[in-house]
């Protein structure tokens, strides 16, 4: 089992550590690799798109030829977890700012996103969030967080704050507006790993 973390920018080492911790808790074996260049995504069984700056990430993924590899592996059924900027990149549609700037999105998930849904007043905050796949709330850390503002019929909403969707899945895609890699609670990574280890890609 090989899990890739896109390492162009953003919370990379935190994700690597969180994955390693979660994998050892399960008593399973997996190799975690960081990805900066073309050629590695096709060698992976699962992928993490971390937080960061979605415009920069999107541009570099395209320029490095990684974006097309991700699309192809998605079609082949590879589980992908996108957190924060990763949730934005997974989306089919952005907000007006995304459209105006022709920002590059991977466009895999039938969602529309608002890049900075919580505005300046709430740049970063933590909250006890109810998630559909957990039986007790999760302390979720939000940093200049986006939200899903429209979800297609195939998208399952897993968590929301007011009417802003902050956790969702669609088949092998798993998107979170917060940063599960910044807390020691592994339950969100475990949920993703359940998908990864049960996936017969
Ligand atoms: N809102 C940021 C963006 O548009 C994402 C913030 C984050 O990943 N912490 O890229």
């Amino acid at each position: 089992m090989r899990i890739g973390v896109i390492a162009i920018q953003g919370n990379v080492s935190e994700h690597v550590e969180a994955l390693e911790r979660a994998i050892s808790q399960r008593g399973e074996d997996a190799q975690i690799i960081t990805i900066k260049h073309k050629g590695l995504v096709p060698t992976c069984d699962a992928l993490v798109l971390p937080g960061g700056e979605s415009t920069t990430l999107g541009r570099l993924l395209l320029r490095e030829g990684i974006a097309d590899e991700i699309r192809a592996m998605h079609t082949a059924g590879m589980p992908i977890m996108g957190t924060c900027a990763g949730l934005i990149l997974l989306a089919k549609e952005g907000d007006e700012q995304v459209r105006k700037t022709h920002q590059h999105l991977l466009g895999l998930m039938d969602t529309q996103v608002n890049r900075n849904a919580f505005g300046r007043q709430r740049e970063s905050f933590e909250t006890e969030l109810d998630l559909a796949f957990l039986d007790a709330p999760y302390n979720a850390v939000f940093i200049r967080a986006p939200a899903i503002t429209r979800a297609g019929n195939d998208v399952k909403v897993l968590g929301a704050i007011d009417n802003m969707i902050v956790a969702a899945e669609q088949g092998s895609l798993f998107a979170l507006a917060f940063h599960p890699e910044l807390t020691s609670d592994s339950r969100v990574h475990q949920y993703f790993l359940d998908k990864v280890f049960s996936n017969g890609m």
Side-chain angles (χ1 to χ4, degrees):
M1 189 62 71
R2 194 176 221 225
I3 304 174
V5 179
I6 295 295
I8 284 179
Q9 191 223 23
N11 310 81
V12 176
S13 59
E14 293 89 343
H15 265 298
V16 172
E17 282 158 30
L19 284 165
E20 280 170 349
R21 206 167 45 235
I23 288 161
S24 82
Q25 278 170 4
R26 301 168 76 92
E28 312 243 27
D29 218 14
Q31 186 193 9
I32 316 293
I33 62 161
T34 54
I35 299 177
K36 286 192 169 76
H37 302 290
K38 197 180 156 138
L40 288 169
V41 170
T43 71
C44 292
D45 302 292
L47 193 70
V48 174
L49 284 169
E53 224 281 308
S54 60
T55 42
T56 310
L57 272 162
R59 191 172 58 239
L60 294 176
L61 286 176
L62 189 66
R63 195 180 77 191
E64 298 297 320
I66 301 173
D68 283 341
E69 292 183 339
I70 296 175
R71 288 195 187 93
M73 290 305 282
H74 165 64
T75 305
M78 179 173 71
I80 306 176
M81 170 162 86
T83 62
C84 205
L87 168 144
I88 300 171
L89 291 170
L90 286 177
K92 279 218 160 86
E93 264 180 88
D95 49 29
E96 211 181 303
Q97 187 190 3
V98 171
R99 279 194 296 275
K100 267 195 202 148
T101 56
H102 304 288
Q103 182 177 341
H104 179 256
L105 303 176
L106 292 169
L108 305 180
M109 204 167 176
D110 189 10
T111 50
Q112 182 180 48
V113 294
N114 177 343
R115 273 187 62 190
N116 289 295
F118 295 92
R120 287 187 196 283
Q121 311 88 307
R122 291 179 87 194
E123 281 247 305
S124 41
F125 61 96
E126 290 181 33
T127 189
E128 293 296 314
L129 183 69
D130 286 320
L131 291 167
F133 55 92
L134 297 180
D135 47 22
Y138 186 88
N139 181 247
V141 178
F142 290 81
I143 304 169
R144 295 190 317 283
I148 295 171
T149 46
R150 186 194 62 77
N153 290 337
D154 295 338
V155 177
K156 189 169 163 203
V157 175
L158 301 171
I161 295 179
D162 302 326
N163 50 12
M164 290 187 280
I165 301 167
V166 295
E169 67 187 342
Q170 181 180 1
S172 56
L173 303 172
F174 182 39
L176 307 159
F178 54 94
H179 290 266
E181 76 285 8
L182 297 184
T183 43
S184 57
D185 185 343
S186 293
R187 289 178 297 159
V188 170
H189 279 85
Q190 291 299 2
Y191 183 70
F192 179 61
L193 291 173
D194 288 344
K195 286 181 187 285
V196 174
F197 283 98
S198 66
N199 184 48
M201 187 179 77

